[in-house]
Amino acid sequence: MQIFSAIEAASETLWDVAVIGGGPAGMMAAGRAASLGARVILIEKNHSLGKKLLITGGGRCNVTNAEPDRQKFLAKYKDDGKFLASPFAAWGILETLDFFHTRNMQTKVEAHQRVFPVSDSSQSVWDVLVAYLRESSVTILSDATVTGLSTDESNVTHANIRGGKIIRAKSFVLATGGTSHPETGSTGDGYTWLRTLGHTVREPSASLVPIALTEPVKDAAGVSLPDAKITLFQNNVKQAQSRGKVLFTHVGLSGPGILNMSREVDELLKYGNVTIELDLMADMGYEKVNASLQALFKENSNKVIRNALRTVVAPALVPHILSRTGIDPDTACHSVTRDSRIALMKTLKHLRFEVSHVLGSEKAIITSGGVALTEIDFKTMSSHMYENLYIIGDLLDIDRPSGGYSLQLCWTTGYVAGSSAAASVANKKNK
Ligand SMILES: Cc1cc2nc3c(=O)[nH]c(=O)nc-3n(C[C@H](O)[C@H](O)[C@H](O)COP(=O)(O)OP(=O)(O)OC[C@H]3O[C@@H](n4cnc5c(N)ncnc54)[C@H](O)[C@@H]3O)c2cc1C
């Protein structure tokens, strides 16, 4: 495996296969094509590969689903399952498991047939894939953002890289993913290019929905925090962070900051309990909050704390904050102890709530949208419009449930595209 620090060198080569997007689908496609002898470059805009893969399954990675009956498995993709019979005949669950097992990653089956690495770490999956790329001599071009594809009438000729360079290849595999967790690199770029090329792309729909809490602060319904820091935790491990407006409702939390994180919450809930932490003093560190509380209590030394605190926190939220901290609301400010003040500071910085569910999640489709399936040849994963273009993974408009079905789609479509891209190059050489 060669890592090009400069795009110059890579742009001087005519590659057999260029894979765009180093997520699970792209890594599988690149490794497979290279293992068949193709000269493969994998182009990734991040510095490292598989950033989203590492956060899957709450950091444990639900690799696939061990449903032994292929028909039952495909039925999980509902109507879209009929498109998948051919690729799954080439590479299904058993092949996927065998792939990981023979590379020393043992797996275990949990509830609902969900398969996880025995290590309980998505890093194990990442390690296997990166080793696969290394052993099959894939060239990785990281920190390289593709800005679009250029074509002639029936083929993609080159990928344009930010900065002006191009990558030429005989075949292109597109694996840029969908739009969820954009901080991992999945910003929907591939959808834009495919639309420009004439493909039908169903707009990925964001499921922005309020969140119900197990213990909503009903008395604070209507209170809005203009710019709270919102952090999601699972098993006490930080999963995501953002800032924005938060609104307390009768059932839980809403407001743009929460709505924008609802997809992540919904995804995480599939793997266990989720806690939302609000930092009500996001612009101040511990010391500053402590100092401002000290000043507040000094200024209002003869007032009771429930009244004094109203200048810092929305009045409807004050009783909840004090009850959480274990401070009697009628305590005079001059008798608030140091320990109580520190505890209050921690409550204000780390106001945690356990999520019950995401409202409307029964109906919401998490990542919905993508390239129309009728425009893909599922025997090869190639586009019907451009014969040397292959489209895989989350780019496809396939609805699926949680439980390992998304990643299995990546393994299967990645394998088939890698095989077909390499075979088509070999066929052309032999002619
Ligand atoms: C929180 C969370 C947990 C999940 N857990 C599971 C789970 O346990 N099991 C499961 O089956 N599924 C899970 N999924 C879904 C799964 O992660 C996706 O289906 C899968 O990552 C899709 O893989 P992909 O290769 O198609 O795209 P992605 O993983 O999105 O990878 C696309 C890659 O392309 C790169 N890229 C994008 N644009 C460009 C560009 N212009 N130039 C160069 N590179 C570019 C990106 O940086 C990225 O590395 C989870 C999803 C989320 C959000």
Side-chain angles (χ1 to χ4, degrees):
M1 183 174 71
Q2 217 177 340
I3 299 191
F4 276 66
S5 55
I7 287 168
E8 280 78 21
S11 67
E12 280 161 17
T13 303
L14 173 62
W15 299 91
D16 287 336
V17 182
V19 179
I20 305 171
M27 286 197 266
M28 178 56 94
R32 174 62 183 160
S35 72
L36 294 175
R39 197 171 188 199
V40 180
I41 186 164
L42 174 57
I43 310 169
E44 167 58 50
K45 71 175 169 187
N46 289 328
H47 188 63
S48 58
L49 303 173
K51 274 183 99 173
K52 185 181 280 182
L53 176 66
L54 288 171
I55 60 162
T56 55
R60 296 202 303 135
C61 187
N62 181 188
V63 190
T64 185
N65 191 286
E67 168 56 62
D69 182 325
R70 192 187 300 157
Q71 290 316 314
K72 276 192 189 163
F73 188 94
L74 292 183
K76 293 282 185 183
Y77 299 97
K78 301 209 175 114
D79 284 354
D80 301 336
K82 64 179 182 288
F83 291 96
L84 298 173
S86 168
F88 271 80
W91 180 271
I93 299 122
L94 291 179
E95 289 80 5
T96 300
L97 289 174
D98 193 49
F99 174 83
F100 286 106
H101 293 166
T102 53
R103 287 169 173 80
N104 286 327
M105 190 193 92
Q106 297 316 310
T107 56
K108 57 181 174 177
V109 180
E110 294 192 359
H112 309 291
Q113 314 267 47
R114 295 185 300 155
V115 179
F116 291 89
V118 164
S119 65
D120 276 330
S121 169
S122 47
Q123 185 68 47
S124 306
V125 180
W126 190 95
D127 289 346
V128 167
L129 290 167
V130 170
Y132 185 45
L133 298 175
R134 192 168 287 137
E135 88 202 20
S136 51
S137 299
V138 171
T139 292
I140 296 175
L141 183 64
S142 61
D143 298 309
T145 302
V146 174
T147 55
L149 301 175
S150 294
T151 62
D152 59 21
E153 256 173 41
S154 57
N155 281 288
V156 176
T157 51
H158 57 269
N160 301 294
I161 309 288
R162 182 169 294 155
K165 294 286 174 194
I166 62 167
I167 297 291
R168 293 176 304 125
K170 295 171 189 164
S171 286
F172 290 83
V173 179
L174 207 53
T176 47
T179 52
S180 73
H181 274 258
E183 78 284 1
T184 62
S186 322
T187 44
D189 301 7
Y191 294 142
T192 312
W193 309 331
L194 288 166
R195 264 198 204 103
T196 310
L197 296 186
H199 270 289
T200 311
V201 177
R202 192 159 65 89
E203 189 60 41
S205 70
S207 43
L208 302 175
V209 276
I211 288 166
L213 301 174
T214 50
E215 289 180 31
V217 194
K218 290 189 177 152
D219 291 341
V223 166
S224 128
L225 311 172
D227 190 24
K229 195 197 280 175
I230 310 159
T231 311
L232 303 183
F233 288 92
Q234 186 157 61
N235 303 325
N236 265 326
V237 179
K238 180 171 146 185
Q239 300 288 338
Q241 192 165 69
S242 164
R243 273 184 81 150
K245 186 172 171 180
V246 174
L247 182 72
F248 284 79
T249 70
H250 284 101
V251 293
L253 298 172
S254 187
I258 293 291
L259 296 179
N260 285 333
M261 291 187 97
S262 61
R263 218 160 26 162
E264 276 106 298
V265 173
D266 203 18
E267 198 68 44
L268 287 168
L269 278 171
K270 291 167 190 159
Y271 306 100
N273 295 341
V274 179
T275 307
I276 295 183
E277 185 184 89
L278 301 179
D279 182 347
L280 309 190
M281 305 279 156
D283 286 323
M284 292 193 233
Y286 272 6
E287 272 181 27
K288 237 179 162 180
V289 177
N290 189 24
S292 67
L293 286 177
Q294 261 175 323
L296 178 78
F297 294 158
K298 203 172 166 191
E299 268 168 38
N300 300 279
S301 63
N302 290 324
K303 280 192 187 164
V304 290
I305 190 169
R306 75 181 139 79
N307 288 338
L309 213 52
R310 285 161 160 256
T311 56
V312 179
V313 180
L317 206 49
V318 169
H320 180 76
I321 301 275
L322 290 173
S323 131
R324 281 256 190 147
T325 317
I327 299 177
D328 181 343
D330 289 319
T331 311
C333 286
H334 62 74
S335 27
V336 176
T337 62
R338 183 182 176 277
D339 282 353
S340 295
R341 195 180 66 242
I342 302 292
L344 178 60
M345 175 190 75
K346 286 188 178 157
T347 307
L348 293 170
K349 295 286 292 171
H350 305 281
L351 192 59
R352 284 193 174 198
F353 299 99
E354 200 185 317
V355 173
S356 161
H357 58 281
V358 169
L359 291 186
S361 64
E362 330 72 57
K363 291 182 198 147
I365 298 156
I366 309 309
T367 45
S368 159
V371 176
L373 305 186
T374 49
E375 296 175 5
I376 305 285
D377 175 356
F378 275 84
K379 283 198 179 69
T380 59
M381 297 314 301
S382 64
S383 151
H384 282 313
M385 294 178 176
Y386 298 90
E387 43 186 72
N388 70 340
L389 175 64
Y390 301 82
I391 302 168
I392 58 175
D394 272 6
L395 279 174
L396 301 163
D397 187 4
I398 298 179
D399 281 347
R400 66 267 173 187
S402 68
Y405 296 93
S406 295
L407 283 175
Q408 183 57 57
L409 210 52
C410 294
W411 314 133
T412 295
T413 57
Y415 176 90
V416 171
S419 307
S420 324
S424 96
V425 170
N427 286 343
K428 280 177 194 152
K429 271 184 195 155
N430 294 335
K431 276 185 188 163

